[in-house]
Amino acid sequence: MSSSTLTQAIVSATQKYTISVYFVVLIGGVIGNLFNIAIFSSLKVFRRNQCAFYLIFGSIADLLLLIIVLPFRVTQFVFGYDPTLLSLAWCKIRYAVVSSLSLSSFTAVCFTAIDQYLSTHYITRIRQLSSLKLAHRLVCIAIITWSLHSIPFFIFFEIQSTLGCDIYNLGFSRYYSFVHFCVLSGILPITTSGCCA
């Protein structure tokens, strides 16, 4: 077997595997998040529970993220067609929406962990901080914050012939790499969830 046929076989196997995994994640994720939303919003025991409210918020963000991102990844991988390279509007919208939804999902996990900490605290005054009213306010603040946070994505993502849809502003590129990924999507959710567990 020559090296070129071996390479083609590996590429073909990788494509089939990746497509299969994408479909499993898409179908499983959509079904799982729909079940989460249905169960946490319909059962009477969860209706007045702030932790369930945070989980509904996180499930909605995850569901939208799956529906928006994965179908386009599949078309890009299977057909070699990337809409972000053809439409400047889609290039900007996709990354802004993905940023906002992924950070909303992480925020829901952090809020859930903080709520569990507050609701199980031995001091009564701190336990009383855990309320559905506070949960509604925090989710509204998170939606507004992450929506405002996504505005620079509309400004700084561009399409260029060399790299396609990407950030071409050095300052925002550094922010995106270090603050957005390392801190907001990495260190902050992990430490918040870990400290409150």
Side-chain angles (χ1 to χ4, degrees):
M1 184 183 262
S2 70
S3 64
S4 65
T5 53
L6 178 63
T7 304
Q8 289 174 345
I10 291 172
V11 167
S12 176
T14 303
Q15 284 180 333
K16 289 176 184 173
Y17 174 76
T18 304
I19 292 166
S20 301
V21 169
Y22 277 163
F23 278 113
V24 168
V25 168
L26 178 63
I27 293 167
V30 167
I31 291 170
N33 283 308
L34 287 175
F35 276 143
N36 282 346
I37 294 166
I39 289 169
F40 288 126
S41 61
S42 65
L43 292 178
K44 200 172 194 179
V45 73
F46 294 127
R47 282 192 195 144
R48 303 288 305 157
N49 186 309
Q50 57 276 8
C51 192
F53 179 73
Y54 292 132
L55 293 174
I56 291 170
F57 170 61
S59 293
I60 291 170
D62 288 338
L63 179 66
L64 292 173
L65 198 56
L66 281 171
I67 291 170
I68 291 171
V69 172
L70 276 185
F72 293 104
R73 288 267 192 210
V74 170
T75 57
Q76 179 183 354
F77 198 75
V78 174
F79 303 112
Y81 173 75
D82 187 4
T84 60
L85 298 178
L86 303 174
S87 167
L88 180 62
W90 178 243
C91 167
K92 292 174 180 281
I93 290 169
R94 178 183 170 197
Y95 285 100
V97 169
V98 166
S99 167
S100 181
L101 290 174
S102 63
L103 291 174
S104 293
S105 178
F106 291 139
T107 302
V109 172
C110 293
F111 285 167
T112 304
I114 293 168
D115 181 71
Q116 288 300 304
Y117 172 77
L118 293 175
S119 64
T120 58
H121 203 276
Y122 64 93
I123 298 174
T124 308
R125 195 176 76 247
I126 293 177
R127 271 197 316 270
Q128 291 171 346
L129 293 174
S130 172
S131 68
L132 191 59
K133 187 176 182 180
L134 178 65
H136 288 161
R137 288 181 180 164
L138 288 175
V139 165
C140 286
I141 289 169
I143 290 170
I144 292 168
T145 302
W146 299 135
S147 296
L148 292 173
H149 177 267
S150 67
I151 290 173
F153 289 81
F154 289 106
I155 298 168
F156 294 117
F157 267 87
E158 298 174 15
I159 298 176
Q160 290 186 4
S161 58
T162 53
L163 296 172
C165 180
D166 207 348
I167 304 167
Y168 295 99
N169 179 288
L170 184 62
F172 188 69
S173 180
R174 287 182 179 155
Y175 170 81
Y176 187 67
S177 299
F178 298 111
V179 177
H180 179 80
F181 275 118
C182 295
V183 178
L184 296 177
S185 298
I187 296 169
L188 192 61
I190 291 170
T191 54
T192 302
S193 300
C195 291
C196 293

